[in-house]
């Protein structure tokens, strides 16, 4: 009786703890869309809080974003390549943590690839932007307008000569068909470009020709400081003409016209000007005046005109250096460059010492500001990365998988329970009770550990059920043998459990060792399988030798045993 008491107290205590651990998961899984909406209206954020406490579902069950990146090791110094991938993984993990994705899978694949799985995250574009952004933040001054004009004139001259040479060569070699095909396209592009800038400038016509200004034909100045009436080299380019401008800048003849200490840089994102989508093109001094790694206490803010900003503080030598830079360039624009693209180029109104502000472009949204905040806080990636594969697992597919998996598990479990009850009769029902407790305890522990349930995890649960059934069969067959030998019910139950214990323990311990090895060496879904298997096997031992034994002990006084 004493042995039954402690087992009874232990079982009741574990049932209570398991119910507490599984409560949040049970509440969340039983909420439908209307319930969630009602909860959110009554207390905003309550659904997200409940979801955070409930057992999470993996990418294969609830959908999400799957991205494969390649770290471009060839673009960094050989001495920095050894740990570049590992550092990139840590920085990506920090960025993902900032955006609140639960249980992301971020792991290395091969020498230079990283796999990122974001379960439940549906904003694939933002995930791609956040994860792949190198976030090399630099502050650069703009070239003077006089020097910029000189460079632009040289480019126009070079492009004019190139165009003349190409037309001459074409006229000598071409056929009539080629000439007829080329001519309408050039004329159309010329007319379209004129129309766009006429719209931007509010003019009816423009007195320009492609022959005189083949490059600056596409540029329209916009950066003007009214406080000192100075013009700075910032230009608007129609989105449809961006590729044409890029092609000219990529020509070797044009590159030779650009001094080594000068660079052209596009704006981070397009804007809408006069109902046209445009990009901004800046002419910068190549020299980096200040690096973003010196920024501290980064947070979101609002500018003078309620535009989105990212505020920061500086300290120590960085503060003094930034004060010298801004003090020496008052009334000049300072370009904020992220990954070689200009976020904005605000004018310096006064010396900035301890605190500063990155003013986002006029087209920037709050999400753009949040992205910049995240990447600056998490740090810059050690090397550029390229996205070589991106898959979005739809929510519908995830729901279908969950529903099918749930029904198949219920049907499979019911068939197993029915078979055991049919074959071992009342003793089979006792084994069924043990199986149900086994499954309940396992889900509760996984919920309490905030584990993520994946398809491999479900496979581990199914394997656990199989082992639990096998343990009960071993016990029952031993009890049958003892009953057939003429022993009493009490003696048969004790002997059956005693004789089966060694075989059950042997099988469970070897499986536990395998699960532990899979968890230590494996990664991602393999670990999910190992976690469910490890805890499932431990619980199987408990339910088979404590709970079912407790019920059988209560029936020892019976003269017969239904088995």
């Amino acid at each position: 009786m004493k042995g039954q008491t402690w087992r009874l107290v232990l079982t009741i205590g574990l049932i209570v703890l398991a119910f507490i651990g599984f409560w949040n998961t049970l509440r969340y899984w039983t909420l439908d869309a209307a319930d969630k909406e009602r909860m959110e209206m009554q207390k905003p954020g309550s659904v997200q809080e409940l979801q955070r406490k409930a057992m999470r579902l993996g990418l294969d069950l609830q959908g999400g974003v799957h991205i494969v990146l390649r770290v471009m090791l060839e673009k960094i110094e050989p001495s920095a390549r050894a740990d570049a991938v590992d550092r990139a993984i840590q920085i990506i993990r920090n960025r993902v943590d900032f955006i609140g994705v639960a249980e992301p899978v971020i792991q290395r694949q091969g020498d230079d690839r990283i796999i990122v799985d974001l379960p439940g995250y549906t904003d694939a574009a933002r995930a791609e932007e956040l994860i792949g952004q190198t976030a090399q933040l630099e502050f650069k001054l703009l070239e003077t307008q006089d020097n910029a004009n000189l460079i632009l004139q040289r480019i126009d001259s070079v492009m004019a000569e190139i165009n003349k040479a190409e037309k001459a060569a074409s006229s000598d070699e071409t056929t009539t068909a080629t000439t007829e095909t080329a001519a309408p396209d050039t004329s159309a592009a010329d007319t379209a470009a004129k129309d766009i800038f006429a719209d931007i400038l509010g003019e009816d016509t423009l007195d320009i020709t492609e022959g005189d200004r083949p490059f600056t034909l596409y540029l329209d100045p916009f950066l003007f400081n009214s406080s000192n009436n100075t013009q700075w080299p910032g230009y608007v380019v129609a989105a449809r003409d961006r590729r044409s401008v890029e092609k000219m800048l990529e020509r070797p003849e044009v590159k030779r016209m650009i001094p080594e200490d000068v660079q052209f840089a596009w704006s981070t994102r397009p804007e809408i000007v006069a109902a046209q989508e445009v990009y901004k093109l800046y002419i910068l001094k190549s020299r980096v005046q200040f690096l973003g790694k010196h920024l501290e206490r980064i947070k979101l803010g609002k500018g003078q005109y309620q535009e989105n900003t990212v505020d920061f503080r500086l300290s120590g030598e960085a503060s003094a250096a930034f004060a010298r830079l801004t003090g020496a360039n008052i009334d000049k624009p300072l370009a904020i460059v992220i990954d070689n693209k200009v976020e904005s180029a605000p004018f310096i109104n006064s010396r900035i010492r301890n605190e500063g502000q990155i003013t986002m472009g006029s087209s920037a949204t709050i999400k753009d500001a949040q992205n910049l905040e995240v990447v600056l806080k998490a740090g810059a990636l050690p090397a550029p990365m390229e996205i070589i594969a991106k898959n979005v697992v739809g929510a519908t597919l995830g729901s279908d998988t969950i529903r099918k998996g749930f029904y198949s598990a219920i049907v499979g479990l019911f068939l197993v329970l029915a078979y055991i009850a049919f074959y071992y009769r009342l003793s089979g029902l006792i084994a069924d009770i043990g199986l149900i407790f086994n499954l309940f305890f396992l889900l509760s522990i996984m919920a309490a550990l905030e584990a993520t349930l994946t398809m491999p995890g479900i496979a581990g649960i199914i394997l656990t059920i199989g082992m639990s059934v096998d343990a009960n069969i071993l016990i029952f067959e031993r009890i049958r043998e003892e009953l057939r030998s003429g022993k009493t019910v009490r003696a048969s139950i004790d002997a059956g459990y005693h004789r089966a214990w060694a075989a059950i323990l042997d099988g469970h311990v070897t499986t536990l060792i395998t699960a532990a090895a899979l968890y230590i060496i494996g990664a991602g879904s393999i670990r999910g399988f190992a976690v469910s298997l490890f805890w499932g096997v431990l619980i199987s031992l408990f339910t088979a030798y404590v709970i079912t034994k407790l019920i059988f002990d209560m029936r020892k006084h019976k003269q017969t045993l239904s088995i």
Side-chain angles (χ1 to χ4, degrees), residues 31 272 376 433 446 513 528:
L31 287 176
I272 302 298
L376 290 180
I433 295 173
M446 292 183 69
I513 295 173

Side-chain angles (χ1 to χ4, degrees), residues 421-531:
F422 172 77
Y423 194 76
Y424 291 105
R425 292 175 286 181
L426 183 60
S427 297
L429 290 176
I430 296 174
D432 289 346
I433 295 173
L435 278 179
I436 293 171
F437 274 116
N438 193 344
L439 187 61
F440 177 57
F441 285 152
L442 177 55
L443 291 177
S444 300
I445 285 181
M446 292 183 69
L449 294 176
E450 297 185 351
T452 301
L453 185 61
T454 62
M455 287 300 288
I458 292 176
I461 293 174
I462 294 172
L463 181 57
T464 296
I465 292 174
M467 293 193 66
S468 183
V469 170
D470 184 58
N472 282 287
I473 290 176
L474 282 174
I475 294 170
F476 292 168
E477 291 302 321
R478 294 292 183 274
I479 293 176
R480 277 182 169 181
E481 288 177 4
E482 298 300 329
L483 288 172
R484 283 195 290 268
S485 67
K487 290 184 178 179
T488 62
V489 170
R490 177 186 296 272
S492 297
I493 291 173
D494 289 340
Y497 273 90
H498 179 72
R499 291 180 59 191
W501 172 246
I504 294 173
L505 186 64
D506 181 63
H508 281 62
V509 168
T510 53
T511 308
L512 278 176
I513 295 173
T514 303
L518 286 174
Y519 184 82
I520 294 171
I521 300 174
S525 57
I526 300 297
R527 281 192 163 189
F529 174 77
V531 167

